[in-house]
Amino acid sequence: MFQRFLVTAVGSQAEGHEMHGARGGGQEETSVPILEYLREPNRYGDGVPKESSPFINSTDIDKGIVYEGKNLALFEEEMDRNPMVSSLLNRLANYTNLTQGVREHEEAENNEEPKKKEVKAPQMGTFIGVYLPCLQNILGVILFLRLTWIVGAAGIFGSFWIVFMCCTCTLLTAISMSAIATNGVVPAGGSYYMISRSLGPEFGGAVGLCFYLGTTFAGAMYILGTIEILLTYIVPSAAIFKTEDPSQEKQAMLNNMRVYGTCTIALMATVVFVGVKYVNKLALVFLACVILSIFSIYAGVIKSGFSPPDFPLCLLGNRTLAWKDFDKCAKVITEGNQTVVSQLWQLFCNGPFLNATCNEYFTLNNVTKIQGIPGIASTVIFENIWSNYEPQGEMLEKKGLPSIPASEGEVNVGLPYVFSDIATYFTMLVGIYFPSVTGIMAGSNRSGDLKDAQKSIPTGTLLAIITTSFIYLSCIILFGACIEGVLLRDKFGESVNGNLVIGILAWPSPWVIVIGSFFSTCGAGLQSLTGAPRLMQAIARDGIVPFLQVFGHGKANGEPTWALLLTAGICEIGILIASLDSVAPILSMFFLMCYMFVNLACALQTLLRTPNWRPRFKYYHWTLSFLGMSLCLALMFICSWYYALVAMLIAGCIYKYIEYRGAEKEWGDGIRGLSLNAARYALLRLEDGPTHTKNWRPQLLILLNLDPEQNVKHPRLLSLTTQLKAGKGLTIVGSVLEGTFLERHSEVQNAEQNIKALMGVEKTKGFCHVVVSSNRRDGVSHLIQSSGLGGMKHNTVLVAWPELWRQSDGPGGWKGFVDMVRETTAAHQALLVTKNTDRFPTNQERFSGGTIDVWWIVHDGGLLMLLPFLLSQHKVWRKCKMRIFTVAQIDDNSIQMKKDLQLFLYQLRLDAEVEVVEMLDNDISAFTYERTLVMEQRSQMLKQMQLSRIEKEREIQSITDESRGATIRKNSARPSLEFQPMDLDDIPKEAQLIHDRNAAAHASGSDRLTVPPERVHMTWTKEKIIAEKNKSKETVSPEGVRDVFNMKPEWGNLNQSNVRRMHTAVRLNEVVVNKSQDARLVLLNMPGPPKNKQGDENYMEFLEVLTEGLNRVLMVRGGGSEVITIYS
């Protein structure tokens, strides 16, 4: 429907008249249209995560509107986001949320021409809109067909407790429902809408589908009740399956129920499909039948006080006889002066003679006739107070009458006794009775049709529950006071010639109840087939259960055709069960689960005290809701514990499915608020003290690099995170964008979306945090300092090794990396650095073997040994064995070290091979000096970057010459040096020469490695090409190498600290490559940066040399605390 919203211009009258004259062109209205939008009230969630609302930002306001006038000029720039109050109030006044129910479908069918119809304001009041529909839904088939039987089996006292518990449950649920329903507008869907918007899409979908199944099975129960009334009390001769064998009568009746029930459901589904307007018009007739039947019951009770109806019972001894196939309750009768046997005699004896052989019990006991309804003035109430539970197949016996038992071998098959068809006990009767108090949601489902829903729903629903509770409780007492006990336990009225027990009490005729109950149950079945498909359509259109979305479609007028077919199919399952007593507990489970979550939603919202929880209904309390929820749960297990478990399993499966595959919806539900409160409580508890060593686990902060399109450069970092964490602990994925937030906020959102999408692909469970900073170094520092909240802060930083660190000395290069290492150390956080990150396995890869090698050089908390254990828990690394290497110096006892390490690992409960590597104190090799020399040359060059352009060119050329001379001096078997380009912004392109050296790992003798040939990256001019060709032909001796600009010191003048560090890196790299070159992953201690920041670039070179020649490397630097312990 189109809605037109108008706002009156603000300004002087003159301005208003001018605008009117200019725009209106003589029109009488002085308002100008500012918003017109199309609403679909039958769709709650149309793919967007937020609910449709008439408030701010609910629809796109026209951007082209010019706000004239001077009164609100101060706010004119904000009008595109925040509308004026007058506009808001206008929209609120015209906002409607009518249900697409019976009335809308009827209007759609009557509209032959596609023309607009004016939206009529809902006019239904409390009595018509809530009270009577609830009354009609609550009073139904159980009252007419089973209530007398329940009173007879459980007694007045037990029946009173059954009804009291069930009515208390629905009363408490109605109080909770009233609070939820008056906390805003409740569209169609009723309880589903309330639960889903209060507890979230997962709970809402699960309970909504359970409520749908309950409503569908209720339709099956009503149809079975209709067929039972038809075949048992109206036209018994219409039965298709008949049998003379009394033992087969029950099965024949069930088959008749299946055949007639299937035909009935097909007929009802056709009526609903053709047009629900016919159901809507007949609703008043069905309601009149219910009310008329209730009045006839009370009238019959009053009449029984002075004129009881004449419906005698025939008893043999104390056993009740089924009054059929005989006309008089006597063994013999006198016809004239002759005594002849009666028809009853012939049923128990083998012939129509006085000397015939008869049943032993028949011979020993007399036949007695008593009144089935002695009346309210009798004392039968005292006999019916207590219960009379009986097993299946037991004969109905009246207590207090004399009875002489027969011998044990007595055969009663085929005799006209009244038997109990099922075993009776308290809990089973609760399950059968509970459906008679359902239907309290009928008013909330019509909230869109009510004049004042927030007043009518609580009032009408509570009055209906009070009224029906009074009817049920009074009927229990009146039935027990008027009707004989054995007749109450006679479910199908066999002892009164097949009459409906409650019907023979009614006045003026039993047919009033029979016909009234028939139409009542028939109408209730039609209403179930009308309401259940719309509930399924509402769930399907919400989109929270993907495979149900097909049931959201229907006819052109919105009629849910596919949902109707599904409902009829599920209803047929109940029809095939064929027993009303078996179907009733099933729908009791689903309704009780629905009511339980309504109470939970109210209690949760009340306890959380969310600002939006402002119900107009004030007579509620969380204790009442909690009591109602507990009572619902108790009744579920009282009715049938296995049905309760099955219903919970179904709801749990739906919940997990929606959680795993369902569409994401944000409805501001209470579960999110509960999670927030639980998280707050847990964070406050975590703040109390530091993490114990036993509870320590890596809480990761992953620092990602993004390309210019905000895509992740190294996605394998998230793969490693998933393999390391397995969804446990805290994971924060962070990144930094350079600039200002005002300029790049849209890029931040794009980056977060890309990162979250990748996290979903890699199954990394955690949080994403992208910050904008003036430079990358400061942004990384901010993430390290401020990520996390309270006790949930990261304790480990995971980052990829900057492979191109030689190309830049800025914050994004080696300087930023070294500063980050220092900051993690200062923050007492562990650091994990992956080298060759893109070679790490994805989550889909599986290693069939191999090793994870741990090089334990120094102890910094035990993180080195904990990480491979965590990785081995993931299926990618599960088949990899763990090896631990440690380095022994010349003074160490390597054999004892190995024994001690094996004992330590045994106490740590870690399975690993242990090897102690002896690294002798060899002389420093010439290659080490050369590598150190090249490293310091580069350092010197970086310091001379401020020279003039000509000096820079000459300096770089000199370094190139000297480096080449050093290369020639080394023998050809020595690993070559790889030169990477550097970024020198101050040097023009034609003169820029970037030359640096990256020496490969070197080994002596047979352990030498094969490395790529020397690579020189230069930007050449023609003169430089000629000069380089000439120089390459010359042989440069060591004596010919000179330091032209004092940039390259002689070997004797090298920094000895750098020489020793390079020696350690080279020797350790030789050992690691020798032992772990084929390992799946190598973990080793990461040395810290030097205290003197002048040597930071050398630190990067040391780490590069240390890890050369290895496939996958994870450098680990502990946080300064123990993370693994031998104690339990």
Side-chain angles (χ1 to χ4, degrees):
M1 91 192 61
F2 287 95
Q3 297 185 358
R4 186 180 181 187
F5 294 96
L6 305 175
V7 63
T8 302
V10 177
S12 63
Q13 292 183 349
E15 291 173 345
H17 288 300
E18 291 174 2
M19 291 173 57
H20 170 60
R23 300 178 182 231
Q27 299 177 4
E28 294 182 0
E29 62 178 20
T30 59
S31 302
V32 294
I34 66 166
L35 180 64
E36 185 172 351
Y37 68 102
L38 181 65
R39 296 191 64 255
E40 294 183 53
N42 56 348
R43 295 189 64 173
Y44 313 124
D46 52 358
V48 296
K50 295 184 179 180
E51 285 300 295
S52 59
S53 168
F55 296 97
I56 298 174
N57 295 332
S58 62
T59 53
D60 294 331
I61 302 175
D62 289 342
K63 304 298 182 183
I65 298 171
V66 178
Y67 292 92
E68 301 183 9
K70 305 180 179 64
N71 289 356
L72 297 177
L74 184 61
F75 301 94
E76 61 185 6
E77 294 184 357
E78 301 179 14
M79 291 299 182
D80 58 341
R81 299 188 310 273
N82 304 325
M84 289 184 293
V85 174
S86 55
S87 174
L88 174 64
L89 295 177
N90 198 325
R91 278 193 280 166
L92 285 173
N94 288 274
Y95 179 69
T96 59
N97 208 343
L98 300 179
T99 64
Q100 188 158 355
V102 175
R103 186 165 58 81
E104 286 73 12
H105 292 317
E106 184 177 344
E107 290 176 356
E109 290 180 355
N110 292 334
N111 283 342
E112 298 179 357
E113 299 179 2
K115 58 182 180 180
K116 293 185 180 179
K117 292 190 66 176
E118 296 182 0
V119 179
K120 298 180 180 178
Q123 298 295 330
M124 297 178 69
T126 302
F127 186 76
I128 298 295
V130 180
Y131 180 76
L132 290 181
C134 287
L135 206 68
Q136 181 182 1
N137 279 267
I138 295 174
L139 298 174
V141 62
I142 301 297
L143 171 64
F144 301 119
L145 297 183
R146 293 293 183 268
L147 189 59
T148 54
W149 173 68
I150 292 174
V151 174
I156 296 176
F157 186 76
S159 303
F160 192 90
W161 271 110
I162 292 174
V163 175
F164 181 78
M165 280 195 306
C166 295
C167 291
T168 302
C169 175
T170 55
L171 180 64
L172 294 174
T173 303
I175 292 174
S176 300
M177 183 198 69
S178 299
I180 298 174
T182 57
N183 191 51
V185 179
V186 179
S191 61
Y192 161 70
Y193 184 91
M194 290 188 290
I195 294 173
S196 61
R197 271 54 177 182
S198 298
L199 294 179
E202 296 87 0
F203 277 109
V207 181
L209 285 176
C210 286
F211 186 59
Y212 164 74
L213 292 175
T215 306
T216 304
F217 276 102
M221 184 188 71
Y222 293 132
I223 293 174
L224 290 175
T226 303
I227 304 304
E228 182 177 315
I229 295 172
L230 178 68
L231 296 181
T232 306
Y233 306 113
I234 300 180
V235 280
S237 59
I240 299 175
F241 299 92
K242 299 178 182 179
T243 179
E244 298 297 331
D245 186 359
S247 62
Q248 298 296 324
E249 287 184 357
K250 181 178 180 181
Q251 188 61 41
M253 183 63 179
L254 293 179
N255 291 332
N256 287 320
M257 300 279 280
R258 294 185 179 103
V259 173
Y260 277 95
T262 303
C263 297
T264 304
I265 195 174
L267 179 62
M268 288 185 175
T270 304
V271 171
V272 174
F273 176 78
V274 169
V276 293
K277 60 182 178 181
Y278 303 112
V279 180
N280 190 30
K281 292 177 180 179
L282 289 173
L284 204 56
V285 177
F286 299 144
L287 178 61
C289 291
V290 173
I291 296 175
L292 182 62
S293 300
I294 298 296
F295 279 115
S296 69
I297 293 173
Y298 283 106
V301 169
I302 296 173
K303 180 178 177 295
S304 70
F306 55 88
S307 179
D310 184 20
F311 282 94
L313 303 179
C314 187
L315 303 177
L316 177 61
N318 63 352
R319 299 178 181 178
T320 307
L321 298 179
W323 203 303
K324 61 180 181 179
D325 298 330
F326 66 92
D327 54 353
K328 293 184 179 181
C329 183
K331 292 184 178 181
V332 294
I333 57 177
T334 302
E335 293 181 355
N337 295 326
Q338 186 178 5
T339 301
V340 296
V341 297
S342 65
Q343 294 178 350
L344 182 62
W345 177 283
Q346 299 181 34
L347 295 176
F348 281 90
C349 302
N350 60 1
F353 307 104
L354 293 174
N355 59 351
T357 303
C358 297
N359 178 270
E360 183 181 1
Y361 188 85
F362 180 79
T363 305
L364 295 175
N365 293 274
N366 296 322
V367 176
T368 308
K369 184 166 68 172
I370 63 174
Q371 280 297 326
I373 302 179
I376 195 172
S378 66
T379 59
V380 73
I381 187 172
F382 299 106
E383 300 176 8
N384 295 330
I385 289 179
W386 307 110
S387 62
N388 292 280
Y389 299 120
E390 296 167 336
Q392 183 177 1
E394 187 75 8
M395 291 178 288
L396 302 186
E397 298 178 349
K398 176 175 172 56
K399 295 179 180 180
L401 288 182
S403 175
I404 302 174
S407 60
E408 295 182 358
E410 179 188 13
V411 178
N412 296 316
V413 178
L415 298 179
Y417 292 122
V418 179
F419 297 92
S420 59
D421 63 330
I422 59 174
T424 53
Y425 44 91
F426 181 81
T427 56
M428 185 268 291
L429 295 179
V430 174
I432 293 177
Y433 172 76
F434 187 82
S436 64
V437 296
T438 59
I440 62 175
M441 302 289 183
S444 62
N445 290 345
R446 293 169 170 80
S447 61
D449 302 327
L450 301 175
K451 183 187 301 183
D452 187 357
Q454 297 190 355
K455 177 183 177 183
S456 297
I457 289 177
T459 307
T461 304
L462 293 175
L463 284 177
I465 292 176
I466 293 172
T467 303
T468 53
S469 299
F470 171 79
I471 292 174
Y472 280 122
L473 292 173
S474 62
C475 283
I476 286 173
I477 299 174
L478 295 176
F479 291 164
C482 295
I483 305 175
E484 185 64 47
V486 289
L487 181 57
L488 287 173
R489 284 178 280 151
D490 186 2
K491 183 188 294 185
F492 302 107
E494 295 176 85
S495 60
V496 286
N497 202 19
N499 284 296
L500 183 62
V501 176
I502 196 174
I504 62 177
L505 175 64
W507 181 86
S509 169
W511 287 102
V512 175
I513 293 292
V514 172
I515 300 301
S517 60
F518 176 80
F519 283 109
S520 172
T521 52
C522 184
L526 277 173
Q527 289 185 350
S528 295
L529 288 180
T530 303
R534 281 158 183 76
L535 179 59
M536 171 55 69
Q537 187 181 48
I539 298 173
R541 288 184 170 179
D542 254 352
I544 59 176
V545 184
F547 72 86
L548 292 179
Q549 291 185 2
V550 64
F551 299 108
H553 306 294
K555 293 196 296 185
N557 63 347
E559 184 72 19
T561 306
W562 293 106
L564 177 62
L565 292 176
L566 177 67
T567 303
I570 298 176
C571 197
E572 177 65 19
I573 297 175
I575 297 298
L576 294 178
I577 296 175
S579 173
L580 188 148
D581 301 321
S582 300
V583 173
I586 297 176
L587 64 99
S588 294
M589 292 301 109
F590 294 123
F591 277 118
L592 280 169
M593 182 171 293
C594 177
Y595 295 166
M596 180 177 68
F597 280 99
V598 169
N599 285 289
L600 174 61
C602 182
L604 194 63
Q605 297 278 25
T606 306
L607 289 174
L608 292 179
R609 298 177 182 176
T610 53
N612 192 53
W613 180 246
R614 303 183 303 274
R616 290 193 174 276
F617 181 76
K618 302 299 182 183
Y619 304 102
Y620 70 94
H621 196 267
W622 69 268
T623 54
L624 295 177
S625 300
F626 187 79
L627 179 61
M629 181 184 66
S630 304
L631 188 56
C632 289
L633 184 62
L635 284 174
M636 287 179 65
F637 283 92
I638 287 175
C639 294
S640 175
W641 62 269
Y642 46 89
Y643 277 169
L645 293 179
V646 171
M648 288 183 173
L649 179 63
I650 293 174
C653 293
I654 298 171
Y655 177 94
K656 296 304 294 183
Y657 176 81
I658 296 175
E659 186 181 50
Y660 179 68
R661 292 291 303 275
E664 294 183 2
K665 297 285 182 179
E666 179 53 57
W667 288 330
D669 51 86
I671 292 297
R672 303 300 190 272
L674 180 63
S675 301
L676 181 62
N677 277 268
R680 172 183 171 273
Y681 175 78
L683 285 173
L684 293 176
R685 290 290 301 272
L686 285 175
E687 196 73 28
D688 291 341
T691 304
H692 193 275
T693 304
K694 298 176 187 177
N695 298 325
W696 194 96
R697 67 169 64 245
Q699 317 285 5
L700 291 180
L701 168 63
I702 300 97
L703 298 178
L704 297 178
N705 292 327
L706 304 177
D707 60 17
E709 287 77 27
Q710 287 81 48
N711 294 318
V712 178
K713 287 185 178 180
H714 300 293
R716 299 293 176 87
L717 268 183
L718 293 181
S719 302
L720 177 62
T721 303
T722 303
Q723 297 157 20
L724 189 62
K725 301 286 291 181
K728 304 296 189 300
L730 176 67
T731 301
I732 302 175
V733 182
S735 187
V736 179
L737 298 180
E738 295 188 12
T740 61
F741 183 75
L742 290 178
E743 297 175 351
R744 307 199 64 179
H745 65 275
S746 59
E747 297 178 25
V748 169
Q749 296 177 354
N750 185 32
E752 288 184 345
Q753 290 177 358
N754 294 339
I755 293 175
K756 288 178 180 178
L758 183 60
M759 290 172 67
V761 172
E762 298 293 343
K763 298 181 179 179
T764 304
K765 297 180 180 179
F767 309 96
C768 176
H769 191 193
V770 178
V771 299
V772 180
S773 180
S774 57
N775 58 75
R776 178 174 175 78
R777 181 197 173 285
D778 290 344
V780 170
S781 178
H782 295 157
L783 284 175
I784 293 175
Q785 294 177 59
S786 60
S787 293
L789 181 63
M792 283 296 287
K793 289 183 65 68
H794 63 279
N795 54 28
T796 306
V797 178
L798 175 62
V799 67
W801 171 261
E803 302 289 346
L804 304 178
W805 64 271
R806 291 187 178 91
Q807 294 187 6
S808 174
D809 62 342
W814 55 269
K815 283 186 177 179
F817 179 82
V818 176
D819 288 339
M820 182 198 64
V821 176
R822 287 196 174 97
E823 287 173 351
T824 55
T825 304
H828 301 288
Q829 297 172 3
L831 178 64
L832 308 179
V833 181
T834 60
K835 197 162 185 290
N836 301 325
T837 307
D838 295 332
R839 299 182 187 177
F840 275 71
T842 63
N843 293 324
Q844 287 72 37
E845 295 183 38
R846 302 288 183 272
F847 288 138
S848 58
T851 60
I852 300 176
D853 290 356
V854 178
W855 285 84
W856 193 19
I857 312 300
V858 294
H859 178 67
D860 54 358
L863 185 57
L864 264 177
M865 286 171 286
L866 183 62
L867 290 177
F869 168 75
L870 296 176
L871 285 174
S872 64
Q873 305 303 304
H874 196 273
K875 46 193 172 184
V876 173
W877 306 90
R878 188 167 296 161
K879 295 184 179 180
C880 296
K881 295 182 179 180
M882 178 180 171
R883 296 193 302 178
I884 295 185
F885 297 89
T886 188
V887 177
Q889 300 297 321
I890 191 170
D891 296 332
D892 295 331
N893 186 342
S894 58
I895 298 177
Q896 187 61 38
M897 283 182 62
K898 184 173 183 179
K899 292 181 179 179
D900 294 341
L901 183 54
Q902 288 175 338
L903 176 61
F904 182 57
L905 291 177
Y906 176 78
Q907 293 173 336
L908 289 176
R909 292 89 64 199
L910 295 176
D911 296 327
E913 298 179 10
V914 175
E915 186 171 344
V916 178
V917 179
E918 296 182 352
M919 198 166 74
L920 303 179
D921 192 11
N922 297 336
D923 293 336
I924 299 175
S925 63
F927 175 70
T928 301
Y929 280 108
E930 287 295 331
R931 192 66 183 261
T932 309
L933 178 64
V934 173
M935 179 184 69
E936 293 198 355
Q937 286 176 348
R938 183 180 183 280
S939 179
Q940 292 278 349
M941 183 181 66
L942 292 173
K943 294 177 183 178
Q944 297 293 329
M945 291 288 290
Q946 303 301 325
L947 297 176
S948 63
R949 173 182 175 183
I950 299 176
E951 289 174 330
K952 288 177 184 175
E953 292 181 9
R954 295 174 59 191
E955 191 72 4
I956 295 170
Q957 186 63 46
S958 174
I959 294 173
T960 304
D961 297 344
E962 299 297 344
S963 299
R964 186 169 299 279
T967 304
I968 296 174
R969 286 200 304 272
K970 293 182 62 66
N971 57 67
S972 59
R974 178 65 62 189
S976 62
L977 304 180
E978 178 184 354
F979 298 94
Q980 300 289 346
M982 281 186 55
D983 185 12
L984 303 177
D985 296 332
D986 296 335
I987 303 178
K989 293 293 182 180
E990 65 273 8
Q992 180 179 350
L993 172 62
I994 304 172
H995 185 195
D996 203 350
R997 185 173 302 221
N998 180 15
H1002 124 262
S1004 59
S1006 61
D1007 293 337
R1008 286 176 180 167
L1009 299 174
T1010 303
V1011 297
E1014 179 184 23
R1015 297 203 306 248
V1016 179
H1017 301 274
M1018 297 182 180
T1019 302
W1020 301 98
T1021 61
K1022 183 182 293 186
E1023 294 78 13
K1024 297 238 182 266
I1025 294 175
I1026 298 173
E1028 188 65 26
K1029 286 183 178 179
N1030 294 333
K1031 289 175 184 175
S1032 64
K1033 298 177 183 178
E1034 299 176 1
T1035 302
V1036 182
S1037 62
E1039 294 80 5
V1041 178
R1042 295 183 296 109
D1043 183 11
V1044 181
F1045 294 104
N1046 292 325
M1047 281 189 62
K1048 181 181 75 61
E1050 298 295 338
W1051 283 9
N1053 296 330
L1054 287 174
N1055 187 322
Q1056 293 304 308
S1057 175
N1058 288 341
V1059 174
R1060 291 196 308 273
R1061 290 171 181 266
M1062 183 64 73
H1063 174 68
T1064 301
V1066 171
R1067 291 288 294 121
L1068 191 57
N1069 177 258
E1070 291 177 359
V1071 175
V1072 173
V1073 170
N1074 184 31
K1075 296 288 185 181
S1076 303
Q1077 187 174 13
D1078 297 328
R1080 298 294 188 184
L1081 179 64
V1082 177
L1083 292 88
L1084 69 151
N1085 289 110
M1086 178 179 178
K1091 295 181 180 179
N1092 183 9
K1093 294 187 178 182
Q1094 299 299 323
D1096 286 353
E1097 66 276 11
N1098 300 335
Y1099 171 71
M1100 299 293 290
E1101 192 70 37
F1102 294 144
L1103 295 181
E1104 192 73 59
V1105 173
L1106 181 62
T1107 55
E1108 279 179 348
L1110 298 175
N1111 186 19
R1112 303 182 190 93
V1113 183
L1114 182 61
M1115 291 182 283
V1116 181
R1117 182 164 175 78
S1121 59
E1122 292 291 336
V1123 301
I1124 195 169
T1125 178
I1126 64 175
Y1127 300 105
S1128 61

